[in-house]
Amino acid sequence: MLTVVREQLGQALFRRVAGPDGPATRSRIHDTPGPRWFGPDRPIRAVHGDASMFIGGLSALLLQSLHPLAMAAVAAHSGYRGDPWGRLQRTSTFLAVTTYGTAADAQRAVDHVRGIHERIRGTTAEGVPYHAADPHLLGWVHAAETDSFLRAHERFGARPLDADAYDAYVADTARVAEALGASDPPRDRRELSERLIAYRHELGATSEARAAARFLLFRPPLPLAVRPFYGGLAANAVALLPPWARAMLWLPRVPVVEGLAVRPTGQVLTRTIRWAMTPPRQSSVA
């Protein structure tokens, strides 16, 4: 019975994240022979393959929304309200292909995204122009994502890395960011922290950012029975944000509650996801 529950839960989660073509896409990514951008020992594989990404990804979306130009582009062009699962599936596939796929497939995925970015242009409500292919704007999106994934893995990963390995993770992600067109992406954790600080004067929670936060945190497109579990992930995604980002989004900090209830809930949920999505080992017969 436990095995059946595990398989059903794992399949349901995988369908949500990878979409209906997930099994075929996974096979193509992992089984196609050829050189990769990142070998089996690279930290990017450990971080992006861990269940902590469920929390890190949600936290990254909240943090990224604080750049008014990035948020304006998302609000006008991404369709995150009308097709949130499709957007998640496209993002997760891109991460999987660039992290684990062949170098040729990774480059094709990057070229596809760059083509989309090139077409996304517009102006904010205040009349400020934006272009999704702007290297500086891509730099913010990359820095916010990398920092969120890293801190989620550090807090909830099955096997957190040491300081040198996390520096190497930042360097790994810089390769993808550079291929996408980001300007001078950070190469270690110190540079990543400095880069986030450098963007601070450009950030602010627009009405679009707060609307996106309300949608992500309080109105997810999920059955009512699943929402409490999602709520646990969302609470930990908020707790992962830098204090200044939480303040911008009007998300209060309650240290005692977070320490006693929120973080332990995050640990339980990520362990459950990890258990469900890891195939059980086959017993060997002597």
Side-chain angles (χ1 to χ4, degrees):
M1 179 63 71
L2 190 60
T3 300
V4 172
V5 170
R6 179 179 190 170
E7 289 178 354
Q8 291 180 343
L9 178 58
Q11 289 171 4
L13 287 168
F14 185 69
R15 280 195 300 271
R16 283 292 189 184
V17 174
D21 298 327
T25 301
R26 178 171 57 188
S27 178
R28 175 176 60 81
I29 290 170
H30 293 278
D31 298 339
T32 301
R36 264 73 176 159
W37 281 359
F38 307 105
D41 61 334
R42 295 305 304 171
I44 193 172
R45 287 189 168 221
V47 174
H48 291 178
D50 191 84
S52 61
M53 290 285 283
F54 281 79
I55 293 175
L58 186 53
S59 190
L61 292 175
L62 294 169
L63 186 57
Q64 288 167 341
S65 76
L66 290 174
H67 197 296
L69 301 185
M71 188 62 235
V74 168
H77 301 276
S78 78
Y80 76 90
R81 287 179 180 273
D83 185 25
W85 295 114
R87 185 167 188 262
L88 170 65
Q89 289 155 13
R90 290 188 292 274
T91 301
S92 67
T93 298
F94 177 82
L95 286 168
V97 171
T98 52
T99 302
Y100 306 103
T102 65
D105 275 351
Q107 188 61 56
R108 276 191 289 269
V110 163
D111 292 343
H112 177 70
V113 171
R114 290 192 72 150
I116 294 172
H117 285 168
E118 190 59 42
R119 297 190 295 272
I120 295 177
R121 300 169 183 266
T123 57
T124 68
E126 293 73 30
V128 180
Y130 62 78
H131 184 197
D134 175 9
H136 182 70
L137 196 56
L138 286 169
W140 161 252
V141 173
H142 167 70
E145 177 182 273
T146 300
D147 186 68
S148 299
F149 290 169
L150 189 158
R151 287 186 293 110
H153 189 270
E154 190 174 44
R155 183 172 296 183
F156 299 108
R159 288 174 290 278
L161 307 178
D162 60 25
D164 289 342
Y166 279 127
D167 280 345
Y169 168 70
V170 177
D172 286 346
T173 64
R175 178 172 186 176
V176 181
E178 217 164 36
L180 283 169
S183 56
D184 187 28
R187 306 286 173 173
D188 58 36
R189 198 168 187 179
R190 179 186 59 79
E191 290 184 4
L192 177 61
S193 178
E194 291 173 351
R195 191 64 51 86
L196 289 171
I197 292 171
Y199 277 100
R200 283 280 300 275
H201 73 283
E202 302 176 31
L203 307 181
T206 62
S207 60
E208 294 168 326
R210 292 199 176 101
R214 287 194 298 271
F215 177 79
L216 290 169
L217 299 176
F218 306 117
R219 300 170 190 167
L222 290 167
L224 289 176
V226 180
R227 290 193 180 187
F229 302 98
Y230 178 87
L233 295 175
N236 278 280
V238 171
L240 205 63
L241 289 169
W244 52 265
R246 295 179 63 163
M248 286 183 180
L249 289 168
W250 299 344
L251 299 171
R253 184 168 182 266
V254 187
V256 175
V257 173
E258 289 178 9
L260 294 178
V262 173
R263 187 178 295 196
T265 299
Q267 296 286 1
V268 171
L269 289 171
T270 48
R271 287 173 187 152
T272 302
I273 293 169
R274 192 176 296 120
W275 169 78
M277 297 191 75
T278 302
R281 294 180 180 178
Q282 299 294 326
S283 58
S284 59
V285 179

